[in-house]
Amino acid sequence: MTVPYTLGLHPIADSTYAYLQPNGSWGWSNAGLIVCGEEGLLVDTLFTVPQTRDMVDAVARALPHVTIGTVVNSHGDGDHWWGNQVLAGAAIIASDAAATAMRRDRLHQQLAAPGPAELPQVVVEMLKTFDFGGITPTYPTRTFTGELEVPVGGRTVRLIEVGPAHTVGDVLVHVPDAAVLFTGDILFVGGHPVLHSGPIAGWIAACDLILGLDAETIVPGHGPVVGKPEVRRFRDYLQRVRDHATRAHGEGQPVLRAAQQMNLDGFTDLADPERLLLNVGAVYRELNGDGTPDELELMGRLDQYTQPSAH
Ligand SMILES: [Zn+2]
């Protein structure tokens, strides 16, 4: 089934839906919905309260008989859970590690308070686009490690923890009876990903795990609905980053230069190339083992990245 990449709720299999938010760049994340009878399980809320309200309204219009009784947060980045309060009353499930990260997250307070001058430029830009007012952090009511099966009416949804990878607590949401997988930010389509926590080997292993699952329809955290070929391509990207950054680190190259010199053949169509600075930086951080280079500091330098001319 080809799913159009347009804003809104799209059927992707029997009683299974994706809520898509083009263009998939910073803060424009996807969500999912699994339905059985009157019961619904929502995969992720959105960056802001208004975005999440729009999504819940779209579900109510298309499926007026459905009550969302369960929410799964795929990980602890704000664009996947800051809208949780709109679903207050539902059971909210996340991995232990993601829930801990959520409770430590103070970014939404910084965004709501005046004086964002000290925030990285990329975050200041997000402030112009998104309305972060009125966020009351609403945390998971149930956490797990490893795997968890969650019933939705007579259906079963499998949660598979694959973090630390993109973040410390990443979870895949597999719907075996529909051969559907919601990856959270373990898959980015159409743009460069962001490697927050690493290790990058954990992320590559998560791609291998996905390739072994019974999943024909794959909803990424950002970007259009795809199939396994895009996962293979994404795995190749991560390996390219790992190999290049490891070599550059060994040669003592500064991180910005290393990011700019990576060979992007086969990936020049991807948006947000400045994220390479974060990704190469994350591999450096892993190799340094002392917390450097700091992620927030790198975020403040994204505008220094210039895409190399084709060679
Ligand atoms: Zn995201």
Side-chain angles (χ1 to χ4, degrees):
M1 178 189 284
T2 306
V3 180
Y5 189 40
T6 55
L7 176 68
L9 190 69
H10 299 276
I12 56 171
D14 273 356
S15 299
T16 309
Y17 304 82
Y19 186 85
L20 305 178
Q21 293 196 107
N23 61 4
S25 187
W26 298 100
W28 296 106
S29 50
N30 298 329
L33 180 69
I34 298 110
V35 169
C36 184
E38 296 176 355
E39 290 186 38
L41 180 149
L42 183 69
V43 182
D44 281 338
T45 61
L46 304 177
F47 214 3
T48 66
V49 172
Q51 278 173 295
T52 306
R53 282 215 182 98
D54 285 349
M55 172 169 70
V56 169
D57 288 349
V59 171
R61 277 195 304 275
L63 304 161
H65 60 287
V66 170
T67 301
I68 296 169
T70 308
V71 175
V72 174
N73 293 129
S74 62
H75 63 293
D77 282 354
D79 54 336
H80 300 263
W81 76 276
W82 283 354
N84 277 5
Q85 74 202 66
V86 177
L87 283 303
I92 302 175
I93 307 176
S95 69
D96 269 354
T100 300
M102 290 171 178
R103 289 181 180 280
R104 287 184 184 146
D105 177 15
R106 295 289 172 267
L107 186 58
H108 56 88
Q109 291 169 352
Q110 289 174 260
L111 294 174
E118 287 163 34
L119 295 169
Q121 187 59 29
V122 62
V123 178
V124 173
E125 290 300 320
M126 281 195 269
L127 269 172
K128 293 179 190 161
T129 310
F130 298 101
D131 171 10
F132 294 107
I135 292 174
T136 305
T138 304
Y139 300 110
T141 57
R142 181 180 181 189
T143 65
F144 72 102
T145 57
E147 290 195 26
L148 183 68
E149 291 197 345
V150 182
V152 185
R155 304 177 71 181
T156 299
V157 172
R158 285 176 70 206
L159 311 186
I160 308 166
E161 184 180 25
V162 292
H166 161 70
T167 65
V168 291
D170 305 300
V171 168
L172 305 173
V173 180
H174 186 210
V175 191
D177 68 20
V180 165
L181 182 72
F182 299 94
T183 66
D185 283 0
I186 288 298
L187 181 65
F188 284 69
V189 177
H192 288 255
V194 180
L195 176 54
H196 290 298
S197 74
I200 196 166
W203 203 340
I204 293 167
C207 291
D208 287 333
L209 191 148
I210 291 172
L211 292 169
L213 288 176
D214 179 14
E216 289 166 16
T217 306
I218 300 178
V219 182
H222 297 257
V225 177
V226 293
K228 283 188 180 174
E230 274 295 332
V231 179
R232 278 185 210 101
R233 183 184 183 219
F234 187 73
R235 186 188 187 287
D236 289 346
Y237 170 96
L238 293 175
Q239 268 185 327
R240 178 97 56 96
V241 170
R242 182 186 64 183
D243 293 350
H244 172 78
T246 303
R247 197 179 321 115
H249 183 271
E251 291 168 358
Q253 282 190 38
V255 62
L256 178 62
R257 185 151 158 249
Q260 283 171 338
Q261 290 192 338
M262 187 173 126
N263 171 13
L264 283 174
D265 287 356
F267 300 108
T268 52
D269 60 310
L270 298 183
D272 303 320
E274 72 282 359
R275 289 174 173 178
L276 265 179
L277 182 59
L278 303 178
N279 297 339
V280 170
V283 177
Y284 271 46
R285 191 159 56 243
E286 203 181 315
L287 292 167
N288 288 338
D290 63 358
T292 65
D294 177 70
E295 183 180 26
L296 214 60
E297 189 256 327
L298 289 177
M299 278 224 168
R301 293 172 59 196
L302 287 178
D303 58 344
Q304 293 174 22
Y305 176 88
T306 49
Q307 201 162 8
S309 50
H311 51 94

